[in-house]
Amino acid sequence: MTDALMPLSPARGGAAIDLSQAAVIFGRGAKATRALQPTTLRINDGEFVALVGPSGCGKSTILKLVSGLIAPSGGVVVVGGREPSAKAARIGMAFQNPTMLPWLTVEQNVMLPLKIVRPFRSEYRAKRKTEFRDRAHALLDQVGLKGFAAKYPWQLSGGMLQRANLCRALIHEPRLLLLDEPFGALDQFTREELWGVLQDLWLLHRPTVLLVTHDLKEAGYLASRICVMSARPGRILDDSPVEFPRPRTVAMTFEPDFVALNQRLRARIVEARGGSEELAR
Amino acid sequence: MTDFAAVRRKLWAVVLIVGFFALWEVLCLALGVSDLVLPRPSQVFATLFERLPILWPHILQTLMTTMIGFVGGVVIGVAIGALIGVSKVAYDTAYPLLIGFSSIPKVAVVPIFVLWFGSGTVPAVLTSLIICFFPIVVNVATGLATTEPELEDVLKALGASKFDILWNVGLPRVMPFFFAALKVSITYAFVGTVLAETVASNRGVGNVMMSASSNFDVPLVFAGLFILAALGVALYVAFSLIERRVTGWATRRDDFAAA
Ligand SMILES: Nc1ncnc2c1ncn2[C@@H]1O[C@H](COP(=O)(O)OP(=O)(O)OP(=O)(O)O)[C@@H](O)[C@H]1O
Ligand SMILES: [Mg+2]
């Protein structure tokens, strides 16, 4: 199932992501918006962390900090032992909006990281028609997009684009995966299927994963640790390990322990939104 | 279905052109307009074919002059446009100067070129160059400056260099803008050439028209106009065909997607 992804040389040890008192403010002066309150978060190599919290609390902002797309307004962000820059860390990122380049086919979009990221880029010219293409097709098959490789992004539905987006984040076998609600636009069943795909990948290669999601069941199924954020501007309220055995199954999500975890997290989020249980009922 | 519609549209375009000439012919005949005022299309075409051997070198001259000016304008335009589009500072500082330049009536510049380079081909090339480079600059700059940050972020997150981003996002993104500018510029380039030829040259279609009008050879003047129109249309069509292949994604054309 995962033969599209070749084994990786393990290079790990220590924290993969280290945010200390990292804060983000967009804009200046009177127009300034505080997007993230000083936040401290440490993620070890090979961990699978889910980040949940109310809308607008700064989850995407954290991902952008880690990927180096924005710089912290305060505090320190260290990724893979240095200042975040995707060059060094080999990051795979699935954005919240699946921004495919409209002039490339789905397949070309998925192969884009291979064209940019070392060490693949030097081989891109030679292999894009054979090996890399096979890899892209294998991934697309896995997420149920067989036969859509040659289509253009506008010919796909929102959920299909999201799946292609996931493929693009995975194709270069990143050591660090940043996924921003990658299954948000999918139906329950496709979503559960892709949970399985992602779990298998993680079990096989053990990349560090930071997954943003609104789905507590998804967080419980996939993550080895769940962080709950407070309402805007956010900070991390709760950080708890998830210790269910792996590989996990959808059936497990109906077991009492799992449901109990879900309910506890739910309560924290209700609290984080500043609402009371009464209102939420 | 779409094929049929496309053919029908083309057919209508032809009907419109033929109808235009027919109406012109008929009106001239009906109103008894003298060919010193407005020659009939049939007279113009007759003159055109009769004098083609004499006109031919002038057509080549004009075409060549225009193409050199146009290519020069495109190269310089793309360079300046890219610079302005990529750099916010350049955008803010250089724009007023460019607007100033483009506001100068180009007729006023021709005598200066003649003063510097003497009359002949050089002023014509330069006039067509300066007249056609501005739309290119504006469009390339706008295209680059309005590139969606989200598209750039996709590459930035991969650790792409500035050049990678320009090459993989900026360049394709700018293509629709670039071709729009090419189509405007090529017609402008002809205007520039002919302008300079009428004022300061002894060759080219512009010069032929000038001397024909001083001889009251009105059909020849119109023959010159027809030639210019035909050249303009031909180049416009050529660019449209290339454009369709390159920027079909922007219009989400079915035939592009199928290719
Ligand atoms: N480019 C920006 N400029 C100004 N403010 C921004 C920008 N991006 C985000 N913000 C603000 O930062 C805050 C956090 O945004 P962020 O996108 O991180 O939220 P989120 O937790 O991902 O929400 P959601 O779950 O809805 O995706 C929001 O209040 C938003 O208004
Ligand atoms: Mg978000």
Side-chain angles (χ1 to χ4, degrees):
Chain A
M1 185 186 237
T2 41
D3 52 5
L5 299 156
M6 301 187 308
L8 290 152
S9 55
R12 53 185 65 161
I17 301 173
D18 200 345
L19 305 185
S20 23
Q21 294 297 305
V24 175
I25 299 171
F26 285 108
R28 286 210 188 99
K31 284 187 193 156
T33 328
R34 182 171 270 282
L36 188 68
Q37 273 183 351
T39 298
T40 299
L41 174 67
R42 214 179 132 88
I43 298 175
N44 288 322
D45 231 331
E47 255 189 310
F48 197 132
V49 177
L51 198 55
V52 297
S55 178
C57 70
K59 303 181 294 296
S60 300
T61 304
I62 289 187
L63 291 199
K64 283 184 187 153
L65 270 178
V66 172
S67 66
L69 285 177
I70 54 175
S73 321
V76 184
V77 180
V78 177
V79 176
R82 52 175 110 192
E83 297 264 284
S85 91
K87 237 174 240 164
R90 205 151 126 198
I91 290 174
M93 184 148 177
F95 290 87
Q96 191 166 359
N97 307 314
T99 33
M100 298 277 132
L101 307 186
W103 47 84
L104 299 181
T105 60
V106 171
E107 172 190 292
Q108 289 167 329
N109 262 295
V110 169
M111 288 199 296
L112 191 67
L114 300 175
K115 197 172 166 186
I116 304 294
V117 175
R118 258 167 277 271
F120 305 105
R121 68 181 294 160
S122 53
E123 306 164 0
Y124 184 78
R125 269 178 182 284
K127 292 189 181 168
R128 80 189 142 171
K129 290 253 162 71
T130 55
E131 208 185 305
F132 286 176
R133 195 154 174 262
D134 293 344
R135 201 195 284 198
H137 281 230
L139 267 175
L140 287 168
D141 285 0
Q142 266 186 328
V143 301
L145 287 180
K146 206 184 179 94
F148 287 91
K151 297 269 190 233
Y152 281 86
W154 75 81
Q155 297 172 307
L156 267 61
S157 75
M160 290 161 104
L161 284 176
Q162 220 174 25
R163 284 179 272 164
N165 195 28
L166 186 66
C167 292
R168 185 170 62 187
L170 295 172
I171 189 132
H172 55 304
E173 295 155 9
R175 295 305 307 144
L176 176 55
L177 253 180
L178 305 173
L179 307 175
D180 202 343
E181 296 177 36
F183 312 120
L186 300 177
D187 65 279
Q188 187 68 35
F189 300 98
T190 312
R191 193 183 300 186
E192 284 167 2
E193 212 173 288
L194 291 184
W195 291 351
V197 172
L198 187 56
Q199 175 172 248
D200 289 345
L201 270 176
W202 182 76
L203 288 173
L204 190 68
H205 301 301
R206 292 291 171 131
T208 311
V209 184
L210 185 50
L211 168 81
V212 170
T213 176
H214 285 296
D215 185 344
L216 294 176
K217 209 162 126 182
E218 179 172 305
Y221 179 109
L222 283 166
S224 41
R225 199 176 131 199
I226 300 177
C227 298
V228 180
M229 288 183 71
S230 72
R232 199 189 90 77
R235 66 198 163 75
I236 289 167
L237 276 185
D238 186 290
D239 189 339
S240 29
V242 184
E243 269 145 7
F244 305 115
R246 292 198 193 256
R248 297 175 191 159
T249 58
V250 175
M252 284 168 77
T253 63
F254 299 104
E255 282 169 18
D257 280 357
F258 196 100
V259 175
L261 173 76
N262 258 1
Q263 265 165 359
R264 197 174 67 73
L265 290 172
R266 192 173 166 281
R268 296 301 318 239
I269 293 173
V270 170
E271 196 184 304
R273 292 178 73 230
S276 69
E277 257 312 288
E278 311 307 319
L279 265 173
R281 256 182 215 140
Chain B
M1 201 55 202
T2 31
D3 279 355
F4 183 67
V7 168
R8 203 167 54 181
R9 265 205 304 278
K10 281 196 186 107
L11 219 62
W12 273 114
V14 173
V15 168
L16 190 68
I17 293 167
V18 173
F20 171 73
F21 284 126
L23 190 71
W24 176 352
E25 185 88 29
V26 170
L27 280 180
C28 283
L29 283 173
L31 303 175
V33 181
S34 149
D35 65 358
L36 274 181
V37 179
L38 181 66
R40 284 173 281 121
S42 59
Q43 290 174 311
V44 176
F45 282 116
T47 313
L48 196 58
F49 287 114
E50 233 166 72
R51 312 262 190 103
L52 198 60
I54 312 162
L55 283 171
W56 190 243
H58 293 286
I59 295 174
L60 288 183
Q61 166 73 18
T62 298
L63 190 62
M64 186 195 70
T65 309
T66 306
M67 288 318 284
I68 297 173
F70 175 68
V71 170
V74 169
V75 170
I76 297 173
V78 167
I80 296 179
L83 198 72
I84 293 179
V86 169
S87 146
K88 181 91 179 68
V89 178
Y91 196 93
D92 291 342
T93 48
Y95 232 87
L97 185 68
L98 277 168
I99 302 281
F101 256 117
S102 74
S103 316
I104 299 170
K106 302 303 174 295
V107 197
V109 187
V110 182
I112 301 174
F113 285 150
V114 176
L115 209 63
W116 289 346
F117 303 103
S119 66
T121 311
V122 180
V125 166
L126 287 178
T127 313
S128 77
L129 188 154
I130 60 158
I131 210 171
C132 78
F133 103 103
F134 190 70
I136 307 261
V137 172
V138 172
N139 273 271
V140 169
T142 311
L144 282 175
T146 58
T147 302
E148 295 82 349
E150 292 82 18
L151 295 184
E152 290 179 352
D153 279 356
V154 170
L155 273 100
K156 274 190 204 154
L158 293 168
S161 65
K162 276 227 150 57
F163 178 79
D164 281 335
I165 295 173
L166 193 64
W167 183 256
N168 289 290
V169 178
L171 187 75
R173 174 51 227 251
V174 138
M175 279 301 149
F177 292 81
F178 178 63
F179 275 98
L182 280 191
K183 292 194 286 188
V184 176
S185 283
I186 189 63
T187 52
Y188 280 12
F190 275 109
V191 173
T193 306
V194 173
L195 194 71
E197 280 173 353
T198 29
V199 179
S201 179
N202 45 16
R203 282 189 298 166
V205 177
N207 176 255
V208 169
M209 286 168 67
M210 200 61 193
S211 49
S213 81
S214 54
N215 296 333
F216 296 101
D217 190 351
V218 183
L220 188 58
V221 176
F222 274 80
L225 281 185
F226 278 28
I227 291 168
L228 292 174
L231 287 177
V233 169
L235 285 164
Y236 183 96
V237 168
F239 289 132
S240 298
L241 289 177
I242 305 171
E243 177 185 32
R244 205 182 290 186
R245 291 212 63 88
V246 178
T247 69
W249 60 268
T251 47
R252 307 190 165 186
R253 292 180 64 95
D254 290 337
D255 51 351
F256 174 77

